[in-house]
Amino acid sequence: MEKKISVVIPTYRRPQLLMECIAALARQEFKRDDFEVIVVSDGPDNVTKKMVVSWKHTGLLDIRYIPLPVKKGPAAARNAGWKAALGCIIAFTDDDTMPDKGWLCNIWESYASQPYVAFTGRVMVPAPEKPTDYEWNTAQLEKAEFITANCACTRLALEKTGGFDERFEIAWREDSDLEFKLLQHNIPIIHLQHALVVHPVRKADWGVSLKEQRKSMFNALLYKKYPQLYRRKIQQQPPWNYYGMVLALMAVIAGLLLQASWLSVTALVVWMILLTAFIKKRLTYTTHAWPHVMEMVVTSMLIPFLSVYWTLYGAFRYKVLFL
């Protein structure tokens, strides 16, 4: 049976988070028979499958479970979802969000039967007044122009653009890639202020910012595809402070090996200045609790090296001159 809207949720082994998202969708003010929910597991996941089946048995939602045979990433999961969808509009959200009860109504009421159109809604990230660095970074989702936690496209728009690029293997830049495709195809993106999705901040382990640096390699892929849009909308210039810190420490080591104390001392002073500025920047809007301050000091020493490594790795992998 044809639906007005299909909601696609990629997930993988996070049934408790997914449960809260589905519960929020069950509270939608949109007529139950007019939308469906498609949960796409990024690889087989029996626990998630059983949970989705239990929701289907309640009769509160028209819900389906689709597993990918192997783990390919959220971009591939979303593609599998929208290609199997019955709706003329495909709405995307994440398994760790809670859509507002009027979310689907706002999307549908803004749709005027245009064949090619996309929508992007508002994301709210509850965070403490003095957040951690991770919480502050997550809260920046509220300023994003187009993210998969809260967007929708007509099926025709997805077919015309090809949907998500499955080379983005993790949850990073695949939403910007779709946004840039829409822009290049002159498909309008309508901002819906009242189509709200709440995105709580998940608990993070110590040093989570170090693990996050792996994402930098996918910046290279996005830059290769859309160099001008990348510089205009993502990053106007390379992170020269990172390169400066890496080169400064390399100069310290070179000075020690060459027994050129002037070089080592000068380079060490430059590194300390850049490092202090970086730590200060990360603490500007975040908590100054001592455990967090110490985490910022330690991770700020390591982040430039990891970021530069993954950036250059991405440039090599995708064969693009990118810094």
Side-chain angles (χ1 to χ4, degrees), residues 7-10 21 74-79 82 90-99 103 107 119-123 141 144-153 158 163-165 168 170-179 182 197-199:
V7 180
V8 174
I9 311 171
C21 179
R78 292 190 185 97
N79 280 341
W82 73 259
I90 318 296
F92 296 99
T93 192
D94 297 333
D95 62 0
D96 55 352
T97 67
M98 292 182 290
W103 182 52
I107 293 173
F119 303 98
T120 178
R122 182 164 64 93
V123 174
L141 292 174
E145 292 185 8
F146 187 94
I147 57 174
T148 47
N150 186 358
C151 70
C153 303
L158 289 168
F164 294 91
D165 187 335
F168 292 92
I170 60 177
W172 187 251
R173 299 306 187 205
E174 81 283 10
D175 43 11
S176 295
D177 177 73
L178 178 59
E179 177 192 7
L182 293 166
V197 163
V198 178
H199 192 306

Side-chain angles (χ1 to χ4, degrees), residues 48-168:
T48 296
K49 179 180 179 180
K50 291 178 181 178
M51 192 263 286
V52 172
V53 170
S54 69
W55 268 101
K56 188 173 185 67
H57 287 162
T58 65
L60 296 174
L61 283 172
D62 183 351
I63 189 168
R64 285 187 278 159
Y65 171 81
I66 299 176
L68 297 185
V70 294
K71 188 171 176 59
K72 295 182 178 180
R78 292 190 185 97
N79 280 341
W82 73 259
K83 288 176 182 178
L86 301 175
C88 59
I89 294 180
I90 318 296
F92 296 99
T93 192
D94 297 333
D95 62 0
D96 55 352
T97 67
M98 292 182 290
D100 178 74
K101 63 183 180 180
W103 182 52
L104 293 179
C105 284
N106 274 283
I107 293 173
W108 183 255
E109 289 169 1
S110 301
Y111 172 59
S113 299
Q114 310 99 308
Y116 301 103
V117 68
F119 303 98
T120 178
R122 182 164 64 93
V123 174
M124 183 174 71
V125 182
E129 183 177 349
K130 281 294 183 179
T132 63
D133 177 69
Y134 178 75
E135 291 169 336
W136 188 84
N137 285 329
T138 303
Q140 302 316 296
L141 292 174
E142 294 185 343
K143 302 176 183 178
E145 292 185 8
F146 187 94
I147 57 174
T148 47
N150 186 358
C151 70
C153 303
T154 59
R155 169 179 285 280
L156 289 175
L158 289 168
E159 290 175 349
K160 186 172 184 178
T161 59
F164 294 91
D165 187 335
E166 297 183 11
R167 289 178 294 175
F168 292 92

Side-chain angles (χ1 to χ4, degrees), residues 14-34:
R14 303 201 299 188
Q16 190 56 49
L17 291 171
L18 178 63
M19 175 76 80
E20 295 180 14
C21 179
I22 293 176
L25 291 170
R27 295 190 292 268
Q28 290 295 300
E29 295 173 341
F30 206 58
K31 187 178 177 182
R32 177 208 175 277
D33 292 336
D34 286 343

